[in-house]
């Protein structure tokens, strides 16, 4: 029975919609502020077009889309790499940035994001909390690295 419990603990479920907590130092590296308004407009409109003007995660259409930056982090090289810019509905974007949602929108926003996470991922409240705890631990580990360097090579496609 112990082996079964150990196997259950190590199994990490992959979610279609997940939390994307970035190191606090990297909060200042928002593409919208790094690029000119015209360049940012090109990047976000490209994301919307590639997604068929629907949310890249839940598929919701006929809604206002938001551009979401998808970053990867390599603590060994201290590189923060822009992997993609995705078109997300507000609800999926609120989940991706759950910390910000809870801070800015309070309990109501956090509860709405939790419900959306569970709906999109067809999961339980316990699974939601487990995923949130994993994201928080990852966030803590990423915060241990300082002086992240940006890799914006993704943007070469626009030149």
């Amino acid at each position: 029975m112990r082996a079964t419990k150990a196997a259950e603990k190590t199994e990490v479920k992959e979610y279609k919609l997940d939390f994307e907590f970035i190191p606090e130092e990297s909060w200042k590296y928002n593409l919208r502020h790094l690029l000119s308004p015209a360049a940012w407009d090109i990047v976000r409109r490209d994301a919307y077009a590639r997604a068929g003007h629907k949310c890249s995660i839940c598929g919701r259409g006929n809604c206002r889309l938001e551009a979401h930056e998808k970053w990867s982090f390599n603590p060994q090289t201290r590189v923060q790499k822009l992997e993609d810019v995705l078109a997300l509905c507000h609800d999926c974007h609120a989940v991706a940035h759950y910390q910000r949602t809870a801070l800015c929108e309070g309990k109501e926003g956090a509860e709405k994001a939790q419900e959306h996470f569970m709906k999109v991922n067809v999961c339980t409240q316990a699974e939601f909390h487990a995923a949130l705890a994993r994201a928080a631990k990852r966030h803590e580990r990423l915060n241990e690295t300082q002086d992240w360097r940006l890799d914006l090579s993704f943007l070469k496609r626009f030149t």
Side-chain angles (χ1 to χ4, degrees), residues 92-110:
C92 284
H93 208 195
V95 171
H97 294 293
Y98 184 80
Q99 292 167 310
R100 184 182 188 286
T101 300
L103 183 66
C104 297
E105 298 180 28
K107 184 179 178 182
E108 186 176 311

Side-chain angles (χ1 to χ4, degrees), residues 22-125:
I22 64 171
E24 290 172 21
E25 178 184 309
S26 299
W27 290 355
K28 62 188 173 203
Y29 299 129
N30 180 312
L31 267 190
R32 186 173 171 200
H33 296 104
L34 291 172
L35 301 176
S36 71
W40 172 243
D41 201 43
I42 290 167
V43 171
R44 72 178 183 84
R45 288 180 187 272
D46 173 73
Y48 304 159
R50 285 186 291 120
H53 299 280
K54 295 180 180 180
C55 179
S56 297
I57 295 177
C58 72
R60 182 176 168 200
N62 203 20
C63 66
R64 181 179 168 271
L65 295 173
E66 301 173 3
H68 172 69
E69 301 156 29
K70 188 91 169 156
W71 298 94
S72 65
F73 297 88
N74 184 326
Q76 287 74 33
T77 60
R78 295 185 353 259
V79 172
Q80 172 182 343
K81 182 178 182 182
L82 180 65
E83 298 291 346
D84 203 352
V85 176
L86 303 174
L88 300 185
C89 68
H90 177 76
D91 292 342
C92 284
H93 208 195
V95 171
H97 294 293
Y98 184 80
Q99 292 167 310
R100 184 182 188 286
T101 300
L103 183 66
C104 297
E105 298 180 28
K107 184 179 178 182
E108 186 176 311
E111 288 174 352
K112 185 176 177 186
Q114 177 181 331
E115 288 174 20
H116 191 69
F117 179 96
M118 292 168 29
K119 176 183 171 188
V120 170
N121 293 312
V122 189
C123 71
T124 66
Q125 187 173 21

Side-chain angles (χ1 to χ4, degrees), residues 3-36:
T4 305
K5 284 188 178 183
E8 287 174 8
K9 280 187 176 183
T10 58
E11 183 181 323
V12 176
K13 188 173 178 181
E14 297 257 343
Y15 292 107
K16 184 177 183 179
L17 173 59
D18 212 346
F19 309 105
E20 297 186 26
F21 301 161
I22 64 171
E24 290 172 21
E25 178 184 309
S26 299
W27 290 355
K28 62 188 173 203
Y29 299 129
N30 180 312
L31 267 190
R32 186 173 171 200
H33 296 104
L34 291 172
L35 301 176
S36 71

